[in-house]
Amino acid sequence: MSNVFYRAVNKEYLEVDYGKGIYLYDTAGNQYIDACSGAAVSNLGHAHPVILEAMMSQAQKVAFSHLSRWTSQPIQQLADLVAQLAPGSLNKLYLVSGGSEATESALKMARGYFVERDGQSSKYRIISRWKSFHGNTVGSLSMTGDKRRKKYTPLLLNFPHIAPAYCYRCPFGKEQETCEVECALDLERAIKMEGAEYVAAFIAEPVGGAACGAIVPHKDYFKIIRQICDHYDILLIDDEVMAGFGRTGSMFSIDDWGVVPDMICAAKGMSAGYSPLGAVIAKQEIYDTFKHGSGVFVHGHTYGGNPLSAAVALAVVKTLIADNIAENSRTVGAYLLGRLQETLLPFSFVGDVRGKGLMLGVEIVRNKGTKEPYPAAMGMAEKLTVTLLKHGIIVYPGSGNADGENGDQFLLAPPLIITKDQADGLVAGLAAGFKEFEQTYFTLK
């Protein structure tokens, strides 16, 4: 009996021994393709020598100092580099320890901005989307539109949610080629219902992640969202905790929509899993409002901005640039998406294969014609995940995407260093696992 309080207390866990490149190895010596990078984290793969060297070098100097008193060269250099990469005037980096802390910080920053700007402000509510995931702390879970919020509803803030940008299951019954992007216009409806004077921000993932399996919005979606936010004096928070730093084929995913948000939330790929780190990248205008107001953003976390994590992230981002990793994500991702669609869509239980760059999703359905999902109680995504493990493939399963309770999908987010040959190996492993799954569960159609 282990004394570890695991997230799923009755689940059997693999014991990892070591990792190398896109592969993980268990203590029995079995090799697995880390086809989800943990949770879209290990963007540079495992045991990258450049990152390990940067980690060791900084640890020998100083691993921790507290931002209430100390700054450091890694923090300043990282902020300067990110400012060069981020769009528009997003050039101020607020460091934390992970994705939930980043979105929680953005929530508070949005509220603080309007208080600082106006002296007193009624703006405090954050609008988000259903079928979204923004984190597990109380504020970030309040913004989340995924079923994992349900048990904690009495503890959550009463924030409104709008329709997702989910073309496979369009909530308005439209087709992407001919729709009027009603899912974006739903934001204006919600603002009018809530009252713009009470709404501080709208938060959205550019490509949906853990809650929906890589759904990609209409090409005009974020342009319409930006216009609505500007019209009603509402901040646009771009949650790139999963999609950012090369995952979808651009350094920041929002760049592909030609829109500049007011804040970007980042984590995961920013330090590539080598040290816990998250961040809010804020516009100069937001920073200046605090600077010329009270001078203080009343918020903070103990490990935010520690020199070790900052030095690791600096090495990661430099490597992303030097090795042109975002372009590899774009080209290999497009190749992998084509191979997945060709190989997996013929299976009777695969409804959709979608994504952008190396953020890809596979949706499992009971009926391809009607898109009827399997009941949640059957746990089909988890069963498929366990089957794929036997074929050396690790994926990131999710459920509830169809109607908030039922529906199965999984995310594929391999390290961004993956080659086309390795992508072929991934597809071969998936195909073998899917065939076994079909033979085992075909009676459950």
Side-chain angles (χ1 to χ4, degrees):
M1 284 289 291
S2 171
N3 289 317
V4 178
F5 195 144
Y6 290 105
R7 182 185 300 190
V9 297
N10 294 316
K11 181 179 177 180
E12 291 188 16
Y13 287 82
L14 298 171
E15 186 172 329
V16 66
D17 187 19
Y18 68 98
K20 187 70 175 177
I22 72 165
Y23 303 102
L24 287 172
Y25 299 83
D26 65 20
T27 50
N30 298 307
Q31 175 183 278
Y32 305 85
I33 295 178
D34 188 5
C36 55
S37 299
V41 176
S42 301
N43 284 8
L44 292 179
H46 304 280
H48 195 294
V50 172
I51 313 308
L52 296 181
E53 182 181 355
M55 182 186 298
M56 179 62 71
S57 177
Q58 184 59 45
Q60 290 172 335
K61 294 178 180 178
V62 59
F64 177 80
S65 59
H66 198 271
L67 270 180
S68 64
R69 186 61 57 190
W70 294 93
T71 187
S72 67
Q73 285 193 4
I75 297 171
Q76 297 172 59
Q77 291 170 3
L78 177 62
D80 290 346
L81 182 55
V82 171
Q84 294 173 28
L85 300 172
S89 66
L90 282 94
N91 57 11
K92 296 299 179 182
L93 187 69
Y94 185 89
L95 289 170
V96 291
S97 301
S100 295
E101 287 186 12
T103 56
E104 189 100 3
S105 298
L107 184 165
K108 289 184 177 179
M109 194 176 290
R111 167 61 180 167
Y113 165 76
F114 284 109
V115 171
E116 295 282 347
R117 190 192 73 175
D118 302 335
Q120 293 292 327
S121 177
S122 59
K123 285 180 170 286
Y124 73 99
R125 307 192 80 189
I126 311 295
I127 298 177
S128 57
R129 303 182 298 194
W130 292 114
K131 297 177 176 51
S132 65
F133 182 68
H134 299 294
N136 274 316
T137 54
V138 170
S140 61
L141 194 59
S142 299
M143 297 184 289
T144 288
D146 178 62
K147 71 178 186 178
R148 71 194 79 187
R149 63 180 273 121
K150 291 182 179 179
K151 288 184 179 180
Y152 303 105
T153 298
L155 307 176
L156 302 182
L157 302 166
N158 183 24
F159 286 165
H161 295 72
I162 65 170
Y166 195 178
C167 296
Y168 179 68
R169 296 184 182 276
C170 177
F172 303 96
K174 302 295 180 68
E175 297 293 332
Q176 188 180 91
E177 295 76 14
T178 56
C179 77
E180 296 182 359
V181 203
E182 284 90 340
C183 53
L185 298 175
D186 200 37
L187 175 59
E188 185 169 41
R189 177 199 60 79
I191 292 170
K192 288 180 177 179
M193 293 292 288
E194 299 293 330
E197 67 271 26
Y198 300 110
V199 180
F202 172 68
I203 186 170
E205 302 162 282
V207 177
C212 54
I215 59 174
V216 181
H218 188 283
K219 62 181 178 63
D220 296 326
Y221 180 83
F222 280 105
K223 291 179 182 177
I224 296 171
I225 292 293
R226 178 74 269 182
Q227 291 168 359
I228 293 171
C229 288
D230 288 343
H231 181 75
Y232 290 99
D233 189 24
I234 290 167
L235 298 177
L236 173 55
I237 302 172
D238 172 24
D239 181 353
E240 302 222 13
V241 168
M242 272 197 170
F245 288 92
R247 169 58 58 189
T248 67
S250 300
M251 192 60 71
F252 294 103
S253 187
I254 197 70
D255 289 343
D256 284 343
W257 279 270
V259 165
V260 178
D262 299 295
M263 301 180 215
I264 295 175
C265 297
K268 296 185 184 287
M270 188 176 180
S271 61
Y274 285 90
S275 188
L277 181 135
V280 178
I281 310 165
K283 276 185 172 180
Q284 179 73 42
E285 296 88 331
I286 292 175
Y287 177 84
D288 286 344
T289 299
F290 284 94
K291 181 177 178 63
H292 300 307
S294 69
V296 179
F297 174 36
V298 184
H299 182 56
H301 295 278
T302 298
Y303 288 98
N306 72 83
L308 181 60
S309 290
V312 166
L314 179 62
V316 166
V317 178
K318 284 182 175 180
T319 301
L320 291 173
I321 297 168
D323 294 350
N324 204 13
I325 296 295
E327 178 60 27
N328 189 69
S329 178
R330 184 179 291 271
T331 56
V332 178
Y335 173 77
L336 179 56
L337 178 59
R339 289 291 326 276
L340 291 171
Q341 290 172 334
E342 175 188 355
T343 304
L344 301 184
L345 282 175
F347 285 95
S348 60
F349 53 88
V350 176
D352 193 27
V353 178
R354 55 185 176 246
K356 187 174 178 60
L358 285 169
M359 193 166 177
L360 306 170
V362 179
E363 184 158 342
I364 303 162
V365 295
R366 191 169 198 165
N367 185 305
K368 294 181 76 158
T370 64
K371 304 178 184 178
E372 176 193 358
Y374 283 101
M378 294 178 70
M380 296 301 274
E382 180 62 23
K383 288 175 180 175
L384 179 54
T385 299
V386 172
T387 301
L388 291 171
L389 280 174
K390 293 189 288 183
H391 296 270
I393 307 295
I394 305 172
V395 299
Y396 193 80
S399 62
N401 51 287
D403 57 15
E405 186 60 35
N406 305 299
D408 296 278
Q409 48 83 14
F410 66 81
L411 191 69
L412 285 168
L416 308 187
I417 59 171
I418 192 171
T419 65
K420 286 186 177 180
D421 286 344
Q422 291 172 329
D424 287 336
L426 169 57
V427 172
L430 287 168
F434 272 54
K435 287 177 183 177
E436 180 181 337
F437 183 79
E438 186 175 50
Q439 292 168 359
T440 304
Y441 296 106
F442 73 95
T443 57
L444 301 177
K445 292 179 187 177

